[in-house]
Amino acid sequence: MSYSTFNRKHFDSTKEPMFFGENVNVARYDQQKHPIFEKLIEKQLSFFWRPEEVDLSTDRKDFQRLEEHEQHIFLSNLKYQTLLDSVQGRSPNVALLPIVSLPELETWIETWSFSETIHSRSYTHIIRNIVNDPTVIFDDIVTNKEITKRADSVSKYYDQLIEMVNIYNTMGLGTFNIPGKGDIEISMKALKKALYLTVASVNVLEAVRFYVSFACSFGFAERTLMEGNAKIIKLIARDEALHLTGTQHMLNLMASGKDDPEMATIAAECKENMRNIFIEAAQQEKEWATYLFKDGSMIGLNAEILGQYVEYITNVRMQAVGLDTHFETKHNPIPWINAWLVSDNVQVAPQEAEISSYLVGQTDNSLDDSDFDDFDL
Amino acid sequence: MTSTSKQTSLQRSEKVHRVLLGKQQILVTEDEPLLAQLERAGIHVEYQCREGYCSSCSIKLLWGHVSYPSEPLAWVQSGYLLACCAIVKSDIEIAFFAN
Ligand code: FES
Ligand SMILES: [Fe+2]
Ligand SMILES: [Fe+2]
């Protein structure tokens, strides 16, 4: 079945499953099958921010004063974040838009992906500010072995789903011989399974991998270093909290069978598989921690502590999608991270204050004569 | 003015419930969500948003009743509560991890 950008069929989109039903036609939000996605869109829109609003002038000086191994930690972490958001800025769109069937979910996917592009833009803002030649940093993301290893694991499921959906959209169902890849079976079940595992791996990307990187960013800020960077990461973390809620809803809705009964069976069959995605990712993140701290640790953070945080946060996230926890670590080894993650104390820079007062100023247009009734002239 | 608001808050605080957590027992009111009251009792609870959209503060509700003034955006697993926005409505028992 090939994709149509405007499905001509007349159908009730509130009766469609989240994925693999009809292609969406009218983008309407007055009625929703799953109102949660509409709520996520509204919340995400209310979070809108721009990297340039955050002043990074002291970060440059801070960075120059860091020890060499600390610069390695900071830059490697930033490269990893850049990789993750490069993937997230496009993949939900490329992988999920061709198969989504609900207007509110379609728009959530687009809104979600769009916010990732803001994250990517903020890394350029940060990198430009601390080094003279950003190309050196960006190039290393595609050549550095430790980073490319991470790229493989975060893009694997997306790429597989995209490939299968491409075949499905051109050839339909069946078994197809793809040059260089051998026989690929395209059945509804295989497609749905690939989808479920992709959403699980995206949840791991945003809810586990990203939080490990946040811990490093805030590790510097705990020592009052790179605080502009931490401000940006706080804004990114606020968005990610919403994104991970989005994938948790998708996974839990799928597993419940309330959205698509066949998906419940698939979720049950994939449970072990999903567990392993979490456990493997945690293992990879621990290896990454070893690479980060290979030349020395920082005050308050080293490979061991970060490894414990990986285990702890993986437990938290596994539980949120209905899995039993896997690791022994049941306490947060870096409880100070929560005070950084919480968004209500994101400091407002003077230029932000100006922008918000500019927006607020617009409401003055709605004043009418009755507003002046109390004035005695 | 001041005395009126004081009176109201006293009245509201009358509803006290017990929260059992392992061997600990914490007394809470219905005036504010569980999270802040656990924190004041010196208990660390994972959190991020503190307004119901990140699920970080999800903890196991073994028995008892809680309610949410408005429906949280985060998915609430059955048998769990979101500490940042849950109002305790009866004596309850909680645990940090299910297994
Ligand atoms: S702290 Fe985010 S849902 Fe409770
Ligand atoms: Fe992101
Ligand atoms: Fe994200």
Side-chain angles (χ1 to χ4, degrees), chain A residues 165-217:
Chain A
V165 169
N166 281 343
I167 301 171
Y168 173 60
N169 278 342
T170 46
M171 314 290 286
L173 299 174
T175 302
F176 305 96
N177 191 277
I178 306 300
K181 302 226 162 144
D183 283 349
I184 297 188
E185 186 215 336
I186 307 294
S187 61
M188 276 332 288
K189 198 167 170 186
L191 286 164
K192 287 181 180 179
K193 191 174 166 186
L195 167 67
Y196 187 75
L197 295 179
T198 299
V199 179
S201 93
V202 180
N203 182 253
V204 171
L205 189 164
E206 300 192 295
V208 176
R209 298 184 194 273
F210 251 117
Y211 280 71
V212 178
S213 84
F214 295 157
C216 293
S217 306

Side-chain angles (χ1 to χ4, degrees), chain A residues 259-276:
Chain A
D259 178 68
D260 171 359
E262 194 187 8
M263 219 55 222
T265 321
I266 287 160
E269 285 173 15
C270 288
K271 201 160 186 176
E272 234 6 74
N273 229 324
M274 177 155 92
R275 264 188 88 72
N276 289 333

Side-chain angles (χ1 to χ4, degrees), chain A residues 36 39 43 47 211 237-238 241-242 244-245 248-249 252 312 315 317 319-322 324-325 330 332 335 338-339 341-343, chain B residues 39 44-60 71-77 80 95-99:
Chain A
I36 179 62
K39 289 181 191 153
K43 196 82 179 164
F47 284 174
Y211 280 71
R238 182 177 68 173
L242 217 52
L244 71 89
T245 287
Q248 282 172 358
H249 272 276
N252 290 325
Y312 172 77
N315 278 344
R317 304 315 190 191
Q319 191 167 263
V321 291
D324 287 340
T325 56
K330 300 281 161 72
N332 190 343
N338 300 117
L341 285 169
V342 75
S343 36
Chain B
E39 285 173 338
H44 175 84
V45 183
E46 188 65 20
Y47 68 84
Q48 178 174 349
C49 69
R50 303 180 79 94
E51 53 170 303
Y53 65 79
C54 77
S55 84
S56 298
C57 64
S58 170
I59 51 186
K60 186 90 187 144
E71 203 196 337
L73 254 58
W75 181 283
V76 188
Q77 293 282 357
Y80 286 81
F96 281 117
F97 284 99
N99 58 312

Side-chain angles (χ1 to χ4, degrees), chain A residues 84-85 88 115-117 119-120 123 206 210 236 239-240 243:
Chain A
L84 293 180
D85 271 308
Q88 276 307 95
S115 89
E116 309 287 20
T117 67
H119 304 173
S120 295
Y123 303 134
E206 300 192 295
F210 251 117
I236 293 179
D239 292 338
E240 292 310 327
H243 304 171

Side-chain angles (χ1 to χ4, degrees), chain A residues 149-166:
Chain A
K149 241 168 53 188
R150 326 242 52 63
D152 289 341
S153 31
V154 298
S155 55
K156 188 169 82 179
Y157 289 95
Y158 268 136
D159 290 352
Q160 198 187 351
L161 176 65
I162 290 165
E163 176 172 52
M164 290 174 72
V165 169
N166 281 343

Side-chain angles (χ1 to χ4, degrees), chain A residues 112-143:
Chain A
W112 167 25
S113 247
F114 169 67
S115 89
E116 309 287 20
T117 67
I118 306 283
H119 304 173
S120 295
R121 297 176 68 79
S122 63
Y123 303 134
T124 296
H125 181 52
I126 294 165
I127 292 170
R128 250 192 200 150
N129 183 64
I130 55 171
V131 299
N132 294 325
D133 184 9
T135 305
V136 180
I137 311 287
F138 288 125
D139 279 354
D140 194 48
I141 298 173
V142 283
T143 52

